[in-house]
Amino acid sequence: MRKHQDILRQSGQLAVAVALCIAAMLAVYALAGYYTTQVLVGALIGFVLAMGNFLALSITVSNALDRAANGGSPQKAQLEIQTSSVVRPVVLVIFYILIFRAKLCDPVAAILPLLFAQVSLKLIEFFRKDPAKSEKDGDSTP
């Protein structure tokens, strides 16, 4: 149950960070005079795909590590994670090609949330409090 809480907590943090970045992107589009419904649709699609990609990665890694820790083969877990790292981007590319061919949204507004997610993950990780370090320093507050 703890692993699901961690995934949900991280997903929530990422969702807030990406949503803030998308809000800034939409403000820039509006200030530049290029805001349209296609931009909004692109931002929404990009948000859903970015969050789906993160959740797929988190669940795959978590399940693979659990199986390896419970007596499974570490090589099989590694292969599962590597396969996911190939399949997820291919699925994303297919989705984007279909969406862009159907002219459903603004391509830039749909792709930027993926980049926002990557930057947000790096920033969240950089500012994350390391519980092991705070215990070493004598500070046991979470």
Side-chain angles (χ1 to χ4, degrees):
M1 187 63 179
R2 173 86 176 138
K3 92 175 166 178
H4 297 300
Q5 290 174 342
D6 288 340
I7 291 173
L8 289 175
R9 182 185 49 79
Q10 291 171 344
S11 298
Q13 290 175 338
L14 181 63
V16 169
V18 172
L20 290 172
C21 291
I22 288 173
M25 175 189 75
L26 293 175
V28 169
Y29 266 98
L31 290 172
Y34 292 110
Y35 181 82
T36 63
T37 5
Q38 282 203 324
V39 171
L40 180 61
V41 170
L44 293 173
I45 289 171
F47 178 79
V48 169
L49 290 177
M51 292 307 301
N53 184 46
F54 176 75
L55 285 171
L57 168 67
S58 298
I59 291 168
T60 300
V61 170
S62 179
N63 288 342
L65 292 177
D66 281 349
R67 278 193 285 280
N70 293 330
S73 166
Q75 291 81 12
K76 187 175 179 183
Q78 182 179 9
L79 180 63
E80 186 177 339
I81 293 169
Q82 288 174 337
T83 303
S84 171
S85 70
V86 172
V87 172
R88 282 179 303 99
V90 169
V91 169
L92 281 174
V93 167
I94 291 169
F95 271 116
Y96 277 120
I97 288 172
L98 293 173
I99 291 165
F100 296 160
R101 297 283 284 173
K103 299 185 191 285
L104 292 176
C105 62
D106 180 73
V108 175
I111 291 175
L112 281 177
L114 278 176
L115 299 175
F116 295 155
Q118 294 300 314
V119 171
S120 297
L121 283 171
K122 300 256 188 277
L123 287 173
I124 290 169
E125 185 62 26
F126 180 76
F127 288 110
R128 180 178 65 95
K129 292 179 183 170
D130 188 10
K133 183 179 180 202
S134 59
E135 287 175 12
K136 282 183 189 175
D137 296 339
D139 180 17
S140 62
T141 57

